[in-house]
Amino acid sequence: MAIIGNTEYFKGIREIKFEGKESDNPLAFKYYNPDFVVAGKSLKDHFKFAVAYWHSFCGKGTDPFGSATQKFLWDKSSDPFQAAKDKADAAFEFITKMGFEYFCFHDYDLIQEGNTLKENEERLSYITDYIKLKQQNSNVKVLWGTANCFSNPIYMNGAATNPEFNILARAGAQVKLALDTTIALDGQNYVFWGGREGYMSLLNTDMKRELDHLGRFLTISKDYARSQGFKGTFFIEPKPMEPTKHQYDFDTATAIGFLKEYGLEDDFKINIEVNHSTLAQHTFQHELCVAANSGMLGSIDANRGDYQNGWDTDQFPNNIYETTEAMLVFLNSGGLKGGGVNFDAKIRRNSTDIDDIFHAHIGGADNFARALITADKILSSSNYSELFKKRYQSFDTGLGKDYENKKLNLIDLYNIANKTKNYKLISGKQELFENIVNQFI
Ligand code: XLS
Ligand code: NI
Ligand code: NI
């Protein structure tokens, strides 16, 4: 395997191959066979697995109670340019060894933020040139780019929703540069996750004005990118809270309502993160379903939360039952529109060996592969779809069909009800549905 750059960072680890579930090699895929075809498409094309630059190459195991535990070889240089190149070398080596093809990034994941806008522009253009070169020598592509408009203290009151215009303008400049970077790296999509677009208290917040500002901000960002030839999709990534008390893109339904209100629904779709769904008190499959119902299921940030914790723990996905149910929605809706499956997940603070990040991504990919294969079997070789459809059969003919065809009004319902003597109580059969899922896992 070709290592571009001087150093091999993940020494002793070779390219991860599919070996099947009988293999006891921990550094092999058990279920994820990239070329295996499910429902007419290879697993590789269904998922377009991506590595999150921020968690895998920038995260150092810090938390609010303690400093870094993970000291990585690429994180040595005090020169921001050298450090950025080392990080890119490590990222490309890792992604290639995983056999994946994509990564996702925030602007200042690629290179450390400077002190002025001008400095940032120079830094980003420097690292963009370097990464472009690396892309020419590999299969590694950008699934999506984004701007980190939440870490810098100037954004403490928000970015696009900041009550101070000059800070909003600064966020605009940052998004322009992040879009330029994404376009230069041939990024397929662009994400807006509004980390601080929300409020801590309504006592001091003019919600209507802030939402209007956000709507305008997304509109001009989209217009700029289109004027630069960007053909990809924009995604909103909903999350209900953290770091704000309330985030405006609370969940998928809220984000879709917002996009429609501001006329953005043709250019934007939804990027659904598992742990954000559960924080919003929804299941992952609920969020996928809401997006798919509007034709807006764009991309997935794969991870999982912790049932006992109420924050974004960003653990690698391994809940096969949850993922299988989600893959039923995924297959029924025809998959993702433009996006892929980005592992927005981090290894635990006390996972400090160089191979831990491999185990994490192998587990995540295997979990999704196994779930998709299982969901496909449920749909193609059980009576699941038939049972599902049967629940609604009263709407397939007669008066039910007339109702769906908008031929009945409220008086009609009144008259029909007056003629009806007995009501059939039809079992929902939930336990049977659950057993079918279990049978195929
Ligand atoms: C944070 C978000 C973030 C987005 C990109 O919770 O998941 O990582 O995916 O800004
Ligand atoms: Ni995310
Ligand atoms: Ni998240």
Side-chain angles (χ1 to χ4, degrees), residues 93 226 254 276 291 342-343 351 392 428:
E93 183 190 333
R226 293 292 183 231
T254 312
H276 297 181
N342 166 45
F343 290 109
S351 297
Y392 300 88

Side-chain angles (χ1 to χ4, degrees), residues 10 35 56 64 77 85 122 180 195 210 249 255 257 260 269 273 311 427:
F10 303 96
D35 299 318
S56 291
S77 174
K85 287 198 289 181
E122 283 158 13
D180 291 342
E210 293 196 0
D249 303 322
K260 290 194 172 161
K269 299 211 162 14
E273 180 163 321
W311 68 87
S427 170

Side-chain angles (χ1 to χ4, degrees), residues 39-248:
K41 229 193 208 181
S42 69
L43 290 180
K44 191 171 91 180
D45 292 342
H46 270 295
F47 295 132
K48 297 207 272 180
F49 284 132
V51 177
Y53 220 88
W54 53 102
H55 283 311
S56 291
F57 312 112
C58 310
K60 299 173 188 176
T62 57
D63 72 10
F65 303 94
S67 55
T69 54
Q70 295 155 350
K71 304 240 156 61
F72 297 125
L73 281 173
W74 57 86
D75 187 27
K76 273 190 173 152
S77 174
S78 54
D79 168 30
F81 295 92
Q82 188 57 47
K85 287 198 289 181
D86 293 345
K87 187 158 46 170
D89 289 347
F92 273 67
E93 183 190 333
F94 175 73
I95 297 163
T96 307
K97 283 187 170 173
M98 280 306 304
F100 292 169
E101 290 184 359
Y102 294 92
F103 68 94
C104 300
F105 67 91
H106 300 84
D107 39 9
Y108 305 131
D109 299 337
L110 300 184
I111 190 159
Q112 194 194 314
E113 186 173 4
N115 293 316
T116 63
L117 191 58
K118 182 112 194 27
E119 204 170 50
N120 291 340
E121 186 160 4
E122 283 158 13
R123 288 188 179 194
L124 281 170
S125 113
Y126 177 89
I127 195 63
T128 300
D129 287 346
Y130 186 72
I131 292 178
K132 263 201 295 220
L133 268 180
K134 296 191 71 75
Q135 285 183 313
Q136 283 160 17
N137 293 306
S138 68
N139 266 335
V140 179
K141 301 182 268 282
V142 169
L143 184 66
W144 51 260
T146 188
N148 177 337
C149 291
F150 43 89
S151 294
N152 190 316
I154 62 169
Y155 297 128
M156 69 176 187
N157 288 311
T161 60
N162 200 295
E164 169 64 29
F165 170 71
N166 281 333
I167 292 179
L168 182 151
R170 168 67 187 244
Q174 198 184 319
V175 168
K176 179 208 175 281
L177 297 180
L179 283 165
D180 291 342
T181 306
T182 305
I183 294 169
L185 297 177
D186 211 12
Q188 299 190 354
N189 306 279
Y190 187 87
V191 162
F192 288 90
W193 171 62
R196 296 192 193 269
E197 315 295 20
Y199 61 79
M200 303 305 285
S201 167
L202 262 189
L203 286 173
N204 64 4
T205 303
D206 186 336
M207 200 199 300
K208 166 84 176 112
R209 249 176 133 169
E210 293 196 0
L211 284 169
D212 284 349
H213 295 169
L214 180 59
R216 179 69 188 153
F217 190 93
L218 297 180
T219 305
I220 58 180
S221 300
K222 177 258 302 173
D223 288 346
Y224 170 75
R226 293 292 183 231
S227 79
Q228 300 302 298
F230 180 66
K231 298 263 179 329
T233 310
F234 301 92
F235 298 134
I236 296 277
E237 182 179 326
K239 183 175 179 180
M241 64 194 82
E242 196 217 66
T244 58
K245 167 191 163 56
H246 176 90
Q247 185 162 320
Y248 291 137

